Amino acid sequence: MEHQTSDRKDDHIDIILREDVETSGTGFSDVQLLHEALPELHQDHIDTSVEFCGQDLTAPVIIESMTGGHPNTTKINRSLAKAAQRTGIAMGVGSQRAGLENPDNDELMESFTVVRDVAPDAFIYGNIGAAQLSEYGVSGVEQAVSMIDADALAIHLNFLQEAAQPEGDTDARGCLEQISIIASDLSVPVIVKETGNGISEETASQLTAAGVDVLDVAGKGGTTWSGIEAYRARAAGANRHAKIGKRFQSWGIPTAVSTARAAAVHPCVVASGGVRSGLDIAKAIALGACAGGMAKPFLQPATTGADAVVDLIEDTIAEIRTAMFVSGAVSVDALQETDYAVVGRTKEFLEQF
């Protein structure tokens, strides 16, 4: 199990970098912010900072959980963390299951611990799967927190991905109860995040009642983990799982829809899943999000180094600032109140669900 989990993490990064595992349909193209021809403010005076889980970020941008758990991923996490430290934004690590399974493997563990080593002041959050909560309990999850001195812990929901894995864990019973226990007893705030298929308003309500601090919708429209697992299953000769992964690669709730629905019932929602620009993040904030997250756009730059990641972060923040300027929003709070229109399929989706 130890090597299987670790090797799977390496497979995932390799497939994302090599193959076309993108879907479309976030819904953000159907969202239009109202242009303010007379913003009556100086662009330099715009404040992009936000409070996130009790800490201040320079901008509502999050480097979403991507990787860790294999020595080959250490360089990527080092670059991402250095960039988060230099720019003052948040970053999550990938699933820490491999680290919890094999704590004596120093080389593997470094793929996680390097994050705090190079980013002592950044907001860093850990990551564990909902399906593993009953196995680890609060004490095991606390080990994931202490592994990287995390400021928060993300519990990821990835049951479609599990269904497409030949070795997937498809027992989803009792997860809500376990999430509630963790949210009540853990030493740090709890984030619950999907992994590319979105969170419905009903599920958002259940998670809100369970005491979850942040919902990360990770909706449809970006990297499809179902599609990634289809490649892995095909390589392993698991043809039925490969067909399932391929068939369901466009399954899910569009990110813009999931953002609006989740924000209607929870005060802190992160919009991710196909978010590809600062303008997407600005639109998500107008829909009610507190921040936007991106994963794949940061991956290739991270293989180059921290400077390339910083460049992309700064470009993204500049786009958010520009959207705020021409919407007349001097702060992120003001952007949440700005006028917008929703058209097309996204409007239809919102009207029906």
Coordinates of all heavy atoms in Angstrom, one line a residue, residues 54-138:
G54 N -8.8 33.3 9.5 CA -8.2 34.1 10.6 C -6.8 34.7 10.3 O -6.3 35.4 11.1
Q55 N -6.3 34.5 9.1 CA -5.0 35.1 8.7 C -5.2 35.9 7.5 O -6.1 35.8 6.7 CB -4.0 34.0 8.4 CG -3.7 33.1 9.6 CD -2.5 32.2 9.4 OE1 -1.5 32.6 8.8 NE2 -2.5 31.0 10.0
D56 N -4.3 36.9 7.3 CA -4.4 37.8 6.2 C -3.6 37.3 5.0 O -2.4 36.9 5.1 CB -3.8 39.2 6.6 CG -4.7 39.9 7.7 OD1 -5.9 39.7 7.6 OD2 -4.2 40.7 8.5
L57 N -4.2 37.4 3.8 CA -3.6 37.1 2.6 C -3.5 38.4 1.8 O -4.4 39.2 1.9 CB -4.3 36.0 1.8 CG -4.7 34.7 2.5 CD1 -5.4 33.8 1.5 CD2 -3.4 34.0 3.0
T58 N -2.5 38.5 0.9 CA -2.3 39.7 0.1 C -3.3 39.8 -1.0 O -3.6 40.9 -1.5 CB -0.9 39.8 -0.5 OG1 -0.7 38.7 -1.3 CG2 0.2 39.9 0.6
A59 N -3.9 38.6 -1.4 CA -4.9 38.6 -2.4 C -5.7 37.3 -2.3 O -5.2 36.3 -1.7 CB -4.2 38.6 -3.8
P60 N -6.9 37.3 -2.9 CA -7.8 36.1 -2.8 C -7.4 35.0 -3.8 O -8.2 34.6 -4.5 CB -9.1 36.7 -3.1 CG -8.9 37.8 -4.1 CD -7.5 38.4 -3.6
V61 N -6.1 34.6 -3.7 CA -5.6 33.6 -4.6 C -5.0 32.5 -3.8 O -4.3 32.7 -2.9 CB -4.5 34.2 -5.5 CG1 -4.0 33.2 -6.5 CG2 -5.0 35.4 -6.3
I62 N -5.4 31.2 -4.2 CA -4.9 30.0 -3.5 C -4.3 29.1 -4.5 O -4.8 28.8 -5.5 CB -6.0 29.3 -2.7 CG1 -6.6 30.3 -1.6 CG2 -5.6 28.0 -2.2 CD1 -7.8 29.7 -1.0
I63 N -3.0 28.6 -4.2 CA -2.4 27.6 -4.9 C -3.1 26.3 -4.4 O -2.8 25.8 -3.3 CB -0.9 27.5 -4.7 CG1 -0.3 28.8 -5.2 CG2 -0.3 26.3 -5.5 CD1 1.2 28.9 -4.9
E64 N -3.9 25.7 -5.2 CA -4.7 24.5 -4.8 C -3.8 23.3 -4.6 O -2.7 23.2 -5.1 CB -5.7 24.2 -5.9 CG -6.9 25.2 -5.9 CD -7.9 24.9 -4.9 OE1 -8.2 23.7 -4.6 OE2 -8.4 25.9 -4.3
S65 N -4.3 22.4 -3.7 CA -3.6 21.1 -3.4 C -3.3 20.4 -4.7 O -4.2 20.2 -5.6 CB -4.5 20.3 -2.6 OG -4.8 20.9 -1.3
M66 N -2.0 20.0 -4.9 CA -1.6 19.3 -6.1 C -0.9 18.0 -5.8 O -1.3 17.0 -6.3 CB -0.8 20.2 -7.0 CG -1.6 21.0 -8.0 SD -0.5 22.0 -9.1 CE -0.2 23.4 -8.1
T67 N 0.2 18.1 -5.0 CA 1.0 16.9 -5.0 C 1.8 16.8 -3.7 O 1.7 17.6 -2.8 CB 2.0 17.0 -6.2 OG1 2.6 15.7 -6.4 CG2 3.1 18.0 -6.1
G68 N 2.7 15.8 -3.7 CA 3.4 15.4 -2.5 C 3.3 13.9 -2.4 O 2.3 13.3 -2.9
G69 N 4.2 13.3 -1.7 CA 4.1 11.8 -1.4 C 5.0 11.0 -2.3 O 4.9 9.8 -2.2
H70 N 5.8 11.6 -3.1 CA 6.8 10.9 -3.9 C 8.0 11.8 -4.0 O 7.8 13.0 -4.2 CB 6.2 10.6 -5.3 CG 7.1 9.6 -6.1 ND1 8.3 10.0 -6.7 CD2 7.0 8.3 -6.3 CE1 8.8 9.0 -7.3 NE2 8.1 7.9 -7.1
P71 N 9.2 11.3 -4.0 CA 10.4 12.1 -4.0 C 10.4 13.0 -5.3 O 11.0 14.1 -5.2 CB 11.5 11.1 -4.0 CG 11.0 9.9 -3.3 CD 9.5 9.9 -3.7
N72 N 9.8 12.6 -6.4 CA 9.8 13.3 -7.6 C 9.0 14.6 -7.5 O 9.1 15.5 -8.4 CB 9.3 12.5 -8.8 CG 10.3 11.4 -9.2 OD1 11.4 11.4 -8.7 ND2 9.8 10.5 -10.0
T73 N 8.2 14.7 -6.5 CA 7.3 15.9 -6.3 C 7.9 17.0 -5.4 O 7.3 18.0 -5.3 CB 5.9 15.5 -5.8 OG1 6.0 15.0 -4.4 CG2 5.3 14.4 -6.7
T74 N 9.0 16.7 -4.8 CA 9.6 17.7 -3.9 C 10.0 19.0 -4.5 O 9.7 20.1 -4.0 CB 10.9 17.1 -3.2 OG1 10.6 15.8 -2.5 CG2 11.5 18.0 -2.2
K75 N 10.5 19.0 -5.7 CA 10.9 20.2 -6.4 C 9.7 21.0 -6.7 O 9.7 22.3 -6.5 CB 11.6 19.9 -7.7 CG 11.9 21.1 -8.5 CD 12.6 20.8 -9.9 CE 12.9 22.0 -10.7 NZ 13.5 21.7 -12.0
I76 N 8.6 20.4 -7.1 CA 7.4 21.1 -7.4 C 6.8 21.8 -6.1 O 6.5 23.0 -6.1 CB 6.3 20.2 -7.9 CG1 6.7 19.7 -9.3 CG2 4.9 20.9 -8.0 CD1 5.9 18.6 -9.9
N77 N 6.7 21.1 -5.0 CA 6.2 21.7 -3.8 C 7.1 22.8 -3.2 O 6.7 23.8 -2.7 CB 6.0 20.6 -2.7 CG 4.6 20.0 -2.8 OD1 3.7 20.6 -3.5 ND2 4.3 18.9 -2.2
R78 N 8.4 22.6 -3.4 CA 9.4 23.6 -3.0 C 9.1 24.9 -3.8 O 9.1 26.0 -3.2 CB 10.8 23.2 -3.2 CG 11.9 24.2 -2.8 CD 13.3 23.8 -3.1 NE 13.7 22.7 -2.2 CZ 13.9 21.5 -2.6 NH1 13.8 21.1 -3.9 NH2 14.3 20.5 -1.8
S79 N 9.0 24.8 -5.1 CA 8.8 26.0 -5.9 C 7.4 26.7 -5.5 O 7.4 27.9 -5.4 CB 8.7 25.6 -7.4 OG 10.0 25.1 -7.8
L80 N 6.4 25.9 -5.4 CA 5.1 26.5 -5.0 C 5.1 27.2 -3.7 O 4.6 28.3 -3.5 CB 4.0 25.4 -5.0 CG 3.8 24.7 -6.3 CD1 2.8 23.5 -6.1 CD2 3.1 25.6 -7.4
A81 N 5.8 26.5 -2.7 CA 5.8 27.1 -1.4 C 6.6 28.4 -1.3 O 6.3 29.4 -0.6 CB 6.3 26.1 -0.4
K82 N 7.8 28.4 -2.0 CA 8.6 29.6 -2.0 C 7.8 30.7 -2.6 O 7.9 31.9 -2.2 CB 9.9 29.3 -2.9 CG 11.0 28.6 -2.2 CD 12.2 28.5 -3.1 CE 13.4 27.8 -2.4 NZ 14.6 27.7 -3.3
A83 N 7.0 30.5 -3.7 CA 6.2 31.5 -4.3 C 5.1 32.0 -3.4 O 4.8 33.2 -3.3 CB 5.6 31.0 -5.6
A84 N 4.5 31.1 -2.7 CA 3.5 31.5 -1.7 C 4.1 32.4 -0.6 O 3.5 33.4 -0.2 CB 2.8 30.3 -1.1
Q85 N 5.3 32.0 -0.2 CA 5.9 32.8 0.9 C 6.2 34.2 0.3 O 6.0 35.2 1.0 CB 7.2 32.1 1.3 CG 8.2 32.9 2.2 CD 7.7 33.0 3.6 OE1 6.8 32.2 4.0 NE2 8.2 33.9 4.4
R86 N 6.7 34.3 -0.9 CA 7.1 35.6 -1.5 C 6.0 36.5 -1.8 O 6.1 37.7 -1.8 CB 8.0 35.4 -2.7 CG 9.4 34.9 -2.3 CD 10.1 34.3 -3.5 NE 10.2 35.2 -4.7 CZ 10.8 34.9 -5.8 NH1 11.4 33.7 -6.0 NH2 10.8 35.8 -6.8
T87 N 4.8 35.9 -2.1 CA 3.7 36.7 -2.6 C 2.6 36.9 -1.5 O 1.7 37.7 -1.7 CB 3.0 36.1 -3.8 OG1 2.6 34.8 -3.6 CG2 4.0 36.1 -5.0
G88 N 2.6 36.1 -0.4 CA 1.7 36.3 0.6 C 0.3 35.7 0.4 O -0.7 36.1 0.9
I89 N 0.3 34.6 -0.5 CA -1.0 33.9 -0.7 C -0.9 32.5 0.0 O 0.0 32.2 0.6 CB -1.3 33.8 -2.2 CG1 -0.3 32.9 -2.9 CG2 -1.3 35.2 -2.9 CD1 -0.7 32.5 -4.3
A90 N -2.0 31.8 -0.2 CA -2.2 30.5 0.5 C -1.8 29.4 -0.5 O -1.9 29.5 -1.7 CB -3.6 30.3 1.0
M91 N -1.4 28.2 0.1 CA -1.1 27.0 -0.6 C -1.5 25.8 0.1 O -1.3 25.7 1.3 CB 0.4 27.0 -0.9 CG 0.9 25.7 -1.6 SD 2.7 25.4 -1.4 CE 2.8 23.7 -1.9
G92 N -2.0 24.8 -0.6 CA -2.3 23.5 -0.1 C -1.4 22.4 -0.7 O -0.9 22.6 -1.8
V93 N -1.1 21.4 0.1 CA -0.4 20.2 -0.4 C -1.3 19.2 -0.9 O -2.5 19.2 -0.5 CB 0.6 19.7 0.7 CG1 1.6 20.7 1.1 CG2 -0.2 19.1 1.9
G94 N -0.8 18.2 -1.6 CA -1.7 17.1 -2.1 C -1.9 16.2 -0.9 O -1.4 16.4 0.2
S95 N -2.7 15.1 -1.2 CA -3.0 14.2 -0.1 C -1.8 13.7 0.6 O -0.8 13.3 0.0 CB -3.7 13.0 -0.8 OG -3.9 12.0 0.2
Q96 N -1.9 13.7 1.9 CA -0.7 13.3 2.8 C -0.8 11.8 3.2 O -0.1 11.4 4.1 CB -0.7 14.2 4.0 CG -0.3 15.6 3.7 CD -0.5 16.5 5.0 OE1 -1.5 17.2 5.1 NE2 0.5 16.6 5.8
R97 N -1.7 11.1 2.5 CA -1.8 9.7 2.9 C -0.5 8.9 2.8 O -0.2 8.1 3.7 CB -2.9 9.1 1.9 CG -3.2 7.6 2.2 CD -4.3 7.1 1.3 NE -4.7 5.8 1.5 CZ -5.5 5.1 0.8 NH1 -6.1 5.6 -0.2 NH2 -5.8 3.8 1.1
A98 N 0.3 9.2 1.7 CA 1.5 8.5 1.6 C 2.5 8.8 2.8 O 3.2 7.9 3.2 CB 2.2 8.9 0.3
G99 N 2.5 10.0 3.3 CA 3.3 10.4 4.4 C 2.9 9.7 5.7 O 3.7 9.3 6.5
L100 N 1.5 9.6 5.9 CA 1.0 9.0 7.1 C 1.3 7.5 7.0 O 1.5 6.8 8.1 CB -0.5 9.2 7.2 CG -0.9 10.7 7.5 CD1 -2.4 10.9 7.5 CD2 -0.3 11.2 8.8
E101 N 1.3 6.9 5.8 CA 1.6 5.5 5.7 C 3.0 5.1 5.9 O 3.4 4.0 6.3 CB 1.1 5.0 4.3 CG -0.4 5.0 4.1 CD -0.8 4.6 2.6 OE1 0.2 4.6 1.8 OE2 -1.9 4.3 2.4
N102 N 3.9 6.1 5.6 CA 5.3 5.7 5.5 C 6.2 6.9 6.2 O 7.0 7.5 5.5 CB 5.8 5.5 4.1 CG 7.1 4.7 4.0 OD1 7.5 4.2 4.9 ND2 7.6 4.7 2.8
P103 N 6.0 7.1 7.5 CA 6.6 8.3 8.1 C 8.1 8.2 8.2 O 8.8 9.2 8.5 CB 6.0 8.3 9.5 CG 5.5 6.9 9.7 CD 5.1 6.4 8.4
D104 N 8.7 6.9 8.1 CA 10.1 6.7 8.2 C 10.9 6.9 6.9 O 12.1 6.8 6.9 CB 10.4 5.4 8.8 CG 9.8 5.2 10.2 OD1 9.8 6.2 10.9 OD2 9.4 4.1 10.5
N105 N 10.2 7.2 5.8 CA 10.8 7.4 4.5 C 11.1 8.8 4.4 O 10.3 9.7 4.0 CB 9.9 6.9 3.4 CG 10.6 7.0 2.0 OD1 11.4 7.8 1.8 ND2 10.2 6.0 1.2
D106 N 12.4 9.2 4.7 CA 12.8 10.6 4.8 C 12.6 11.3 3.4 O 12.2 12.5 3.4 CB 14.2 10.8 5.3 CG 14.4 10.4 6.7 OD1 13.3 10.3 7.5 OD2 15.5 10.1 7.2
E107 N 13.0 10.6 2.4 CA 12.9 11.2 1.0 C 11.5 11.5 0.6 O 11.2 12.6 0.1 CB 13.6 10.3 0.0 CG 13.9 10.9 -1.3 CD 14.6 10.0 -2.2 OE1 14.6 8.8 -2.1 OE2 15.3 10.5 -3.2
L108 N 10.6 10.6 0.9 CA 9.2 10.8 0.7 C 8.6 11.9 1.5 O 7.9 12.8 1.0 CB 8.4 9.5 0.9 CG 6.9 9.5 0.6 CD1 6.5 8.1 0.2 CD2 6.1 10.0 1.8
M109 N 8.9 11.9 2.8 CA 8.4 12.9 3.7 C 8.9 14.3 3.4 O 8.1 15.3 3.6 CB 8.8 12.6 5.2 CG 8.2 11.3 5.7 SD 6.4 11.6 6.0 CE 6.4 12.7 7.3
E110 N 10.1 14.4 2.8 CA 10.5 15.7 2.4 C 9.7 16.4 1.4 O 9.6 17.6 1.3 CB 12.0 15.6 1.9 CG 12.6 17.0 1.6 CD 13.9 16.9 0.9 OE1 14.3 15.8 0.5 OE2 14.6 18.0 0.8
S111 N 9.0 15.6 0.6 CA 8.1 16.2 -0.4 C 6.9 17.0 0.2 O 6.3 17.8 -0.4 CB 7.5 15.1 -1.3 OG 6.6 14.2 -0.6
F112 N 6.7 16.7 1.5 CA 5.7 17.5 2.2 C 6.4 18.5 3.1 O 6.0 19.7 3.1 CB 4.8 16.6 3.1 CG 3.9 15.6 2.3 CD1 4.1 14.3 2.3 CD2 2.9 16.1 1.6 CE1 3.3 13.4 1.6 CE2 2.1 15.3 0.8 CZ 2.3 13.9 0.9
T113 N 7.4 18.1 3.9 CA 7.9 19.0 4.9 C 8.7 20.1 4.3 O 8.9 21.2 4.9 CB 8.9 18.2 5.8 OG1 10.0 17.6 5.1 CG2 8.1 17.1 6.6
V114 N 9.1 20.0 3.0 CA 9.8 21.1 2.4 C 9.0 22.3 2.3 O 9.5 23.5 2.3 CB 10.3 20.6 0.9 CG1 9.0 20.4 0.0 CG2 11.2 21.6 0.3
V115 N 7.7 22.2 2.3 CA 6.8 23.3 2.1 C 6.9 24.3 3.3 O 7.1 25.5 3.1 CB 5.3 22.8 2.0 CG1 4.3 24.0 2.0 CG2 5.1 22.0 0.8
R116 N 6.9 23.8 4.5 CA 7.0 24.7 5.7 C 8.5 25.1 5.8 O 8.8 26.3 6.3 CB 6.5 24.0 6.9 CG 6.6 24.9 8.1 CD 5.8 26.2 7.9 NE 4.4 26.0 8.0 CZ 3.5 27.0 7.7 NH1 3.9 28.1 7.1 NH2 2.2 26.8 7.8
D117 N 9.4 24.3 5.4 CA 10.8 24.7 5.5 C 11.1 25.9 4.7 O 11.9 26.8 5.2 CB 11.7 23.5 5.0 CG 11.7 22.3 5.9 OD1 11.3 22.4 7.1 OD2 12.2 21.2 5.5
V118 N 10.6 26.0 3.5 CA 10.9 27.2 2.7 C 9.8 28.3 2.8 O 10.0 29.4 2.2 CB 11.0 26.8 1.2 CG1 12.2 25.7 1.1 CG2 9.7 26.2 0.6
A119 N 8.7 28.0 3.5 CA 7.7 29.0 3.6 C 7.2 29.1 5.0 O 6.1 28.7 5.4 CB 6.5 28.7 2.7
P120 N 8.1 29.6 5.9 CA 7.8 29.7 7.3 C 6.6 30.5 7.7 O 5.9 30.3 8.7 CB 9.1 30.2 8.0 CG 9.8 30.9 6.9 CD 9.4 30.2 5.6
D121 N 6.3 31.5 6.9 CA 5.2 32.5 7.2 C 4.0 32.3 6.3 O 3.0 33.0 6.6 CB 5.7 33.9 7.0 CG 7.0 34.1 7.8 OD1 7.0 33.8 9.0 OD2 8.0 34.6 7.2
A122 N 4.0 31.5 5.3 CA 2.9 31.4 4.4 C 1.7 30.6 5.0 O 1.9 29.8 6.0 CB 3.3 30.7 3.1
F123 N 0.5 30.9 4.5 CA -0.6 30.1 4.9 C -0.6 28.7 4.2 O -0.7 28.7 3.0 CB -1.9 30.8 4.6 CG -3.2 30.1 5.2 CD1 -3.8 30.5 6.4 CD2 -3.7 29.0 4.5 CE1 -4.9 29.9 6.9 CE2 -4.8 28.3 5.1 CZ -5.4 28.8 6.2
I124 N -0.4 27.7 4.9 CA -0.2 26.3 4.3 C -1.3 25.4 4.9 O -1.5 25.4 6.1 CB 1.2 25.7 4.6 CG1 2.3 26.6 4.1 CG2 1.3 24.3 4.0 CD1 2.4 26.8 2.6
Y125 N -2.0 24.7 4.0 CA -2.9 23.7 4.6 C -2.6 22.3 4.1 O -2.1 22.1 3.0 CB -4.4 24.1 4.2 CG -4.8 24.2 2.8 CD1 -5.2 23.1 2.1 CD2 -4.7 25.4 2.1 CE1 -5.6 23.1 0.8 CE2 -5.1 25.5 0.8 CZ -5.6 24.3 0.1 OH -5.9 24.4 -1.2
G126 N -2.9 21.4 5.0 CA -2.7 20.0 4.8 C -3.9 19.4 4.0 O -4.8 20.1 3.6
N127 N -3.9 18.1 3.8 CA -4.8 17.4 3.0 C -5.0 15.9 3.3 O -3.9 15.2 3.3 CB -4.4 17.6 1.5 CG -5.4 17.2 0.5 OD1 -6.4 16.6 0.8 ND2 -5.2 17.6 -0.8
I128 N -6.2 15.5 3.4 CA -6.4 14.0 3.6 C -7.8 13.7 3.0 O -8.7 14.6 3.0 CB -6.4 13.7 5.1 CG1 -6.3 12.1 5.3 CG2 -7.6 14.2 5.9 CD1 -4.9 11.6 4.9
G129 N -8.0 12.5 2.6 CA -9.2 12.1 1.9 C -10.3 11.8 2.9 O -10.1 11.2 4.0
A130 N -11.6 12.1 2.5 CA -12.7 11.8 3.4 C -12.8 10.3 3.7 O -13.2 9.9 4.8 CB -14.0 12.4 2.8
A131 N -12.5 9.5 2.7 CA -12.6 8.1 2.8 C -11.6 7.5 3.8 O -11.8 6.4 4.3 CB -12.4 7.4 1.5
Q132 N -10.6 8.3 4.2 CA -9.6 7.8 5.2 C -9.8 8.3 6.6 O -9.1 7.9 7.5 CB -8.2 8.2 4.7 CG -7.6 7.4 3.6 CD -8.2 7.8 2.2 OE1 -8.1 8.9 1.8 NE2 -8.8 6.8 1.5
L133 N -10.8 9.1 6.8 CA -11.0 9.7 8.1 C -11.3 8.7 9.2 O -10.8 8.8 10.3 CB -12.2 10.7 8.1 CG -11.9 12.0 7.2 CD1 -13.1 12.9 7.3 CD2 -10.6 12.7 7.7
S134 N -12.2 7.7 8.9 CA -12.5 6.7 9.9 C -11.3 5.9 10.3 O -11.1 5.4 11.4 CB -13.6 5.8 9.4 OG -13.2 5.1 8.2
E135 N -10.4 5.7 9.3 CA -9.1 4.9 9.6 C -8.2 5.7 10.5 O -7.6 5.2 11.4 CB -8.4 4.6 8.3 CG -7.1 3.9 8.4 CD -6.4 3.8 7.1 OE1 -7.0 4.0 6.0 OE2 -5.2 3.4 7.1
Y136 N -8.0 7.0 10.2 CA -7.0 7.8 10.9 C -7.6 8.4 12.2 O -6.8 8.6 13.2 CB -6.5 8.9 10.0 CG -5.7 8.4 8.9 CD1 -5.9 8.8 7.6 CD2 -4.7 7.5 9.0 CE1 -5.2 8.3 6.5 CE2 -3.9 7.0 8.0 CZ -4.2 7.4 6.7 OH -3.5 6.9 5.7
G137 N -8.8 8.8 12.2 CA -9.4 9.5 13.4 C -8.7 10.9 13.6 O -7.9 11.3 12.8
V138 N -9.1 11.5 14.7 CA -8.6 12.9 14.9 C -7.1 12.8 15.2 O -6.4 13.7 14.7 CB -9.3 13.5 16.1 CG1 -8.7 14.9 16.5 CG2 -10.8 13.7 15.9

